[in-house]
Amino acid sequence: MPEGDTIARAAARLHEALAGQDVTAFEAALARVRTAAENHPLPGRVVERVSAHGKHLVMHFTGDLLLRSHMRMHGSWHLYRPGERWQRARHAMRLRLETPAWQAVAFDVYDAELVPSPSAGQLAAVAALGPDLLDPALDVASAATRILAEGGRPIAPVLLDQRVVAGLGNVLRCEVLFLEGVAPDRAAAGLPAETAARLVARGARELRRNASPTATRRVTTGRFSPDEALWVYQRTGRPCRRCGAAIQSGPDGPGGRRVYWCPRCQPA
């Protein structure tokens, strides 16, 4: 499930492979991107850099052209050498960018746009984001203030709201709430300021750790066995690793994502 850490790793790999290379071919199965590419052809341009902004991945090309993509639940970017067999079926391809050394292929990506712009900040989807928890210049106090300003909204959906703070997905928001002992239904405005700041700092720390190029799976417990990597996520009914109470789960609101918590370690 792509979260900010997944996108940061993908951007780092794509940047290492593609930055400074000429684009020799571009293909888009998405009509919106295909039409934009007809007006602003990519072949002949150079990939300047690839960056991550919350859950958005942005490729920067010479001539002030940007390709933004969002992985949603199941999207992914793959890198292949020319002629190398793809790991996914061609019908799942949504974007394909080719350079002399690499093919970058986006599978199952449905949220993407190709736009002329001098900076990623000009992209409406990026400009609407709250502070990026992976930003080295993150102002923890300012981000915490944004959380507290959400009033009576439960903290669980607030942490998923990318307009408040950017980068956390369902896995890490559940883990962060557990690690800081905060019940998912606590009202955001009812949190002490220091608790909100701890949630921000913990979220940033977990994202950074799991964004490491050496990370092979998301780990919050410090235990790398697949069965022991997480504290509460997808562990409904199983004993809490700290206190032994049965982990509970439920939607974070009407039509919301499922949230997991320990009723003893995260008292209401």
Side-chain angles (χ1 to χ4, degrees):
M1 184 181 299
E3 301 192 19
D5 52 353
T6 308
I7 305 307
R9 287 198 305 273
R13 287 195 296 268
L14 289 166
H15 177 83
E16 182 179 4
L18 303 177
Q21 293 207 33
D22 295 325
V23 179
T24 56
F26 180 72
E27 183 180 2
L30 303 174
R32 178 185 184 187
V33 178
R34 187 167 59 247
T35 299
E38 291 171 357
N39 296 323
H40 306 282
L42 277 172
R45 298 176 189 266
V46 175
V47 181
E48 293 185 323
R49 67 185 188 279
V50 183
S51 58
H53 304 265
K55 297 182 183 182
H56 298 263
L57 188 147
V58 181
M59 292 185 178
H60 305 247
F61 302 93
T62 52
D64 291 333
L65 195 64
L66 303 176
L67 176 63
R68 179 192 64 81
S69 57
H70 191 294
M71 303 301 103
R72 299 292 181 187
M73 291 289 290
H74 304 295
S76 60
W77 277 95
H78 291 201
L79 278 169
Y80 299 100
R81 291 294 187 180
E84 184 179 357
R85 184 174 180 177
W86 295 358
Q87 296 177 6
R88 299 287 308 280
R90 182 168 180 87
H91 65 74
M93 185 276 293
R94 298 293 173 265
L95 304 167
R96 183 181 69 86
L97 182 146
E98 190 171 332
T99 72
W102 293 98
Q103 283 189 85
V105 188
F107 295 101
D108 293 326
V109 170
Y110 296 94
D111 180 3
E113 59 180 337
L114 180 67
V115 296
S117 176
S119 71
Q122 298 288 325
L123 290 168
V126 173
L129 296 175
D132 188 341
L133 296 186
L134 276 172
D135 186 344
L138 173 68
D139 185 332
V140 171
S142 176
T145 299
R146 294 173 68 93
I147 290 174
L148 297 172
E150 290 299 300
R153 290 181 68 195
I155 186 61
V158 166
L159 290 182
L160 281 189
D161 190 337
Q162 303 300 296
R163 299 167 300 177
V164 181
V165 291
L168 291 178
N170 197 26
V171 179
L172 286 182
R173 69 96 178 245
C174 295
E175 298 292 294
V176 165
L177 286 170
F178 172 81
L179 287 164
E180 293 302 328
V182 177
D185 59 354
R186 285 279 300 274
L191 295 174
E194 59 270 22
T195 300
R198 287 203 314 271
L199 288 172
V200 171
R202 175 75 71 170
R205 189 157 62 247
E206 294 300 326
L207 281 167
R208 282 196 300 270
R209 179 167 64 174
N210 287 285
S212 166
T214 60
T216 56
R217 65 170 57 89
R218 192 171 287 124
V219 175
T220 59
T221 61
R223 307 168 192 168
F224 292 91
S225 166
D227 293 334
E228 299 182 331
L230 302 173
W231 291 102
V232 294
Y233 183 73
Q234 290 189 336
R235 300 192 67 244
T236 308
R238 299 176 66 182
C240 174
R241 301 189 193 279
R242 281 183 174 169
C243 73
I247 298 300
Q248 297 183 8
S249 67
D252 63 12
R257 303 283 295 282
R258 182 159 291 272
V259 63
Y260 302 81
W261 74 95
C262 172
R264 189 178 297 163
C265 295
Q266 299 165 262

